[in-house]
Each structure stands twice: as structure tokens, then as C-alpha cells.
Amino acid sequence: MRCRKCGGKAVINMPQHRLALCKEHYLAWLPEQTERFIKKYRMFTRAEKVLVAVSGGKDSLSLWDILHRLGYQADGLYIALGIDGGVNYSAESQRLTEKFAAERGLTLHVVDVRAETGKTIPEWAEATWRGREKPCAVCGLVKRHEMNRIARDLGYDVLATGHNLDDEAAVLFGNTLAWAGEYLLRQGPVLEERGGLARKVKPLCRFYEREMAAYALLRGIEYIYEECPFSAGATSLYYKELLNRLENDRPGTKLAFYLNFLEARRAGLFAERSEVQQALHPCPGCGQPTSAPGLCSYCRMIEKGRDSQV
Amino acid sequence: MVKIILRDREFEVRAGMTLRDALRKCGILPEAVIATRQGEMITEDEILKDGEVVKLIAVISGG
Ligand SMILES: [Zn+2]
Ligand SMILES: [Zn+2]
């Protein structure tokens, strides 16, 4: 297969775009496309301060690399979750993230969940939510809370995450199966600032997971290849596999599923609920906006887990 | 024969087929992997030759 730009040997073929590219042109194409999506969805400008949530994985490190190459003001935030799983998962991903930042002279903020809250993620899961189950719900809650807190405390305009199209399509698939209207309304490349929370953006949301892995590999980015030990058997992985089977038989299906959803929403398929129903108030515990009465779900989790012994 | 490696699994396929056909034989979705040969990424139309080793990188992660 030949590169469409130069006729050289292609390293990747993207049937959904009817495009094959060589290494050099692929490494130029992907940031160009990212720039196009940042502008198209009005994510941020070069005058704004961007905080990139980095996990040590291929997507978030590549995102940071791309924003840096494009000349954006992008600092990193690493949240140390304290997950070991027999593979030293958190320690190794932190090491790779710190190495990445140091080699490029980038600013990285590190938040240690145990130092902040007294427990690691698996310990919080054990202490609060039906102990033996997966800590993913607790993990999501804590990460969201810490990202919002750091963005607000350090004055970032926007929070960027490395979600790719496969991530987004899997979430969309799950929300559609459940007809979770509230979530469908909020899912997208940009979540506008609400109640003092920084705007959230997903600049990679139109790239296939395979494209992001190819970028990381071709750029020589060292990322954590091991899976989070808790992700085995996750529903999101199952949905990704189902969508990839569709993609295999009908190239472009994943992309169309996501883009047609965005278009349908823009055209008004999903109605906003009334102002009263979506009213936010500051949580009496942490001050972050919440729609729940009283404490936010993060503070309720902390309250519930604080007294129990691990 | 051609050896195909994905994490701790190994497959063997006949030489002379394309990477696309080899993946199908092994029951691996092309969307879920990147194929490399001697450290270089290759596309699915590549014909695999006798004695070659193809290393697959899993691209799908949870979360
Ligand atoms: Zn080229
Ligand atoms: Zn709170």
C-alpha cells in the first residue's frame, strides 16, 4: 500500500477515511486533524491555559505531545491512584509520565490520592462500595473531583482528556442501550463550563484507538502497555469489541455512529430539561457544583468510607 | 511458516498469505491491533513470507 501524499510505503491504512499514509505524513496528518477539531468544536485557543489529564497511557501522552507540537500552553496533571494489581500499575505509569514530561521540559502536576484523602483508590473502594467489586466507580469519582479541583485552584481555563473515538463510541453505545437521556445530552467533544467548573474538552474524540496507538508507536512515546488490573472484563471493553466487529465488516461504522449522534443532538433530537431540574448548587463539603441535594457524590463517598476500617 | 505474536499468545500461519488473511485465520480483529515486522509497522495487504515474525500490539484499553 502506498502513501497518498508521497507514494512512499504506507505504514497505516485508514479505510474509514480511504487514506493510507507513510510514517512521515501520518505524523504530520494527525496533529493537523487535531488542530482542525480544536477549532471546529471551539475547544481552546493559544491564549488559554490547558490542563491535560495524563495517565501514562498512549492517548493522554500522545495528546500532550500533540498540543505541545501545535504550540498550545498545555501542562499535565497526573493523579496517583495507588493501584498495584501485582504489576506496579500506578507506580510504573507515574514513572513513564514523569519521564515524558522531563524529556520535553513540560510542567507536570502530580496529585497523590492517598496523601490527599488518606486512602488509595482500592482502599476507598473497599471501605465504601460493596468492597469486593471493581473500584472503577470510586476511581472515576475521585479523578473527576481532583481534576476539577486542580484546574480551579491553579487557574486553568480548560481541562483536556485523551478520550478517543472508541472510548466515546463505547460510552455512547452504553448510554443508547440504556436510553440514558441525561448522559446523551452531555456527551460530546466539549462540556461547557458549568457552575465554576472548567470547560472539559476531548481533542482526540474523532480518532480511532488504533490511530492513537499508531501515533504513539511512530512517535516513539513510551507509554504504559499494561492494562489497569481492574479493567479486565469491563463493559466498555466488551462494547469496544462489538463495535470493532461492526467496523470490520463495515468500515466507518464507529465514526458514523458518533458523528451522526453529534449531528442529531445539534439538530435538537435531545431536549434540555427545565432549568429547575438541572439547577446546580455548591456542595457544602467541597464547594464544587452538584445537582444532588446536600453533599456531592464525592463528599458522600468520603463520608461513608472515612469511618470504616480497611 | 510465519509466526504471529500477540501478548503471551503465539500463532503460526502459512507463508504467502496477506496479513489480513493471517489475522482472520487467528481470529484477531485488525481494528484491535497494530502489526509490526522487524520493528516497522505494516499494512494489511502485506504478504507474509516464510520465516517472518509479526509482532502485534494490542490497541484497545479499558476505561
Ligand atoms: Zn508519505
Ligand atoms: Zn463535595
Side-chain angles (χ1 to χ4, degrees):
Chain A
M1 216 166 272
R2 298 275 138 202
C3 170
R4 186 201 282 174
K5 303 246 159 117
C6 70
K9 192 170 161 48
V11 293
I12 186 164
N13 179 35
M14 297 172 282
Q16 77 278 21
H17 300 311
R18 294 203 183 83
L19 180 65
L21 292 171
C22 69
K23 176 177 176 176
E24 182 196 334
H25 286 115
Y26 186 69
L27 287 177
W29 175 81
L30 201 129
E32 277 165 25
Q33 293 297 304
T34 311
E35 174 78 359
R36 192 163 78 80
F37 302 146
I38 289 171
K39 292 219 167 79
K40 180 182 169 67
Y41 298 111
R42 298 194 173 84
M43 291 184 178
F44 45 81
T45 66
R46 286 180 175 74
E48 287 178 294
K49 280 178 66 187
V50 183
L51 184 64
V52 184
V54 279
S55 66
K58 64 184 186 312
D59 303 298
S60 56
L61 288 181
S62 294
L63 172 60
W64 203 7
D65 175 80
I66 292 162
L67 295 183
H68 176 55
R69 281 179 73 189
L70 291 172
Y72 286 100
Q73 302 182 52
D75 296 345
L77 167 63
Y78 178 83
I79 301 174
L81 307 167
I83 294 172
D84 183 276
V87 292
N88 222 7
Y89 179 75
S90 285
E92 181 61 6
S93 39
Q94 182 170 348
R95 186 186 71 78
L96 291 169
T97 305
E98 286 175 339
K99 183 166 176 252
F100 178 95
E103 282 170 1
R104 291 159 179 80
L106 299 173
T107 302
L108 175 67
H109 307 285
V110 175
V111 171
D112 189 309
V113 170
R114 195 208 301 260
E116 284 302 321
T117 66
K119 288 183 177 53
T120 64
I121 292 292
E123 287 167 357
W124 276 115
E126 190 79 15
T128 54
W129 300 50
R130 309 167 295 266
R132 290 164 304 280
E133 277 179 46
K134 289 170 172 298
C136 304
V138 172
C139 187
L141 202 56
V142 171
K143 280 197 284 200
R144 190 150 27 94
H145 181 88
E146 290 301 315
M147 287 192 287
N148 286 331
R149 183 178 70 84
I150 299 291
R152 181 191 61 191
D153 289 358
L154 301 182
Y156 286 93
D157 300 296
V158 54
L159 189 61
T161 55
H163 293 94
N164 58 49
L165 189 130
D166 292 49
D167 295 325
E168 293 303 291
V171 168
L172 178 59
F173 191 69
N175 286 341
T176 305
L177 284 180
W179 290 116
E182 191 82 347
Y183 291 104
L184 288 169
L185 197 57
R186 304 260 167 263
Q187 191 187 349
V190 176
L191 188 58
E192 285 301 338
E193 184 199 322
R194 238 178 133 212
L197 292 185
R199 186 158 77 250
K200 293 198 180 87
V201 300
K202 299 167 181 168
L204 308 180
C205 67
R206 290 179 58 159
F207 295 114
Y208 281 10
E209 187 140 21
R210 187 168 188 272
E211 293 167 18
M212 293 318 303
Y215 182 83
L217 186 72
L218 293 169
R219 275 289 280 174
I221 294 172
E222 253 192 284
Y223 64 88
I224 181 117
Y225 184 57
E226 293 296 333
E227 277 292 317
C228 171
F230 293 107
S231 76
T235 313
S236 60
L237 284 175
Y238 174 59
Y239 291 161
K240 281 181 179 182
E241 198 201 324
L242 289 179
L243 290 165
N244 275 341
R245 277 196 237 167
L246 289 173
E247 182 71 24
N248 200 45
D249 297 338
R250 300 270 187 284
T253 300
K254 278 190 298 195
L255 184 61
F257 179 50
Y258 183 62
L259 294 184
N260 291 341
F261 156 72
L262 293 182
E263 177 53 28
R265 196 185 49 191
R266 198 197 57 76
L269 184 64
F270 307 98
E272 274 287 351
R273 296 175 78 187
S274 69
E275 297 273 324
V276 182
Q277 279 169 306
Q278 54 168 324
L280 297 176
H281 65 88
C283 164
C286 67
Q288 291 192 15
T290 175
S291 56
L295 290 175
C296 74
S297 44
Y298 171 83
C299 289
R300 271 184 284 135
M301 183 216 54
I302 296 283
E303 185 124 292
K304 199 169 157 194
R306 192 182 290 132
D307 313 318
S308 63
Q309 314 211 314
V310 176
Chain B
M1 297 301 273
V2 179
K3 191 183 281 184
I4 297 184
I5 303 173
L6 174 60
R7 293 192 191 266
D8 51 2
R9 289 191 292 161
E10 278 194 23
F11 306 85
E12 287 214 320
V13 295
R14 269 183 303 107
M17 66 172 83
T18 61
L19 173 63
R20 186 183 293 108
D21 291 338
L23 292 177
R24 189 178 303 135
K25 271 218 149 27
C26 303
I28 296 166
L29 283 171
E31 267 301 303
V33 294
I34 285 173
T36 64
R37 190 176 53 195
Q38 293 175 324
E40 299 287 330
M41 269 173 62
I42 54 171
T43 50
E44 301 83 70
D45 61 330
E46 200 80 21
I47 292 178
L48 306 178
K49 296 186 202 71
D50 199 31
E52 282 181 345
V53 177
V54 174
K55 250 192 96 176
L56 301 178
I57 296 160
V59 304
I60 304 301
S61 55

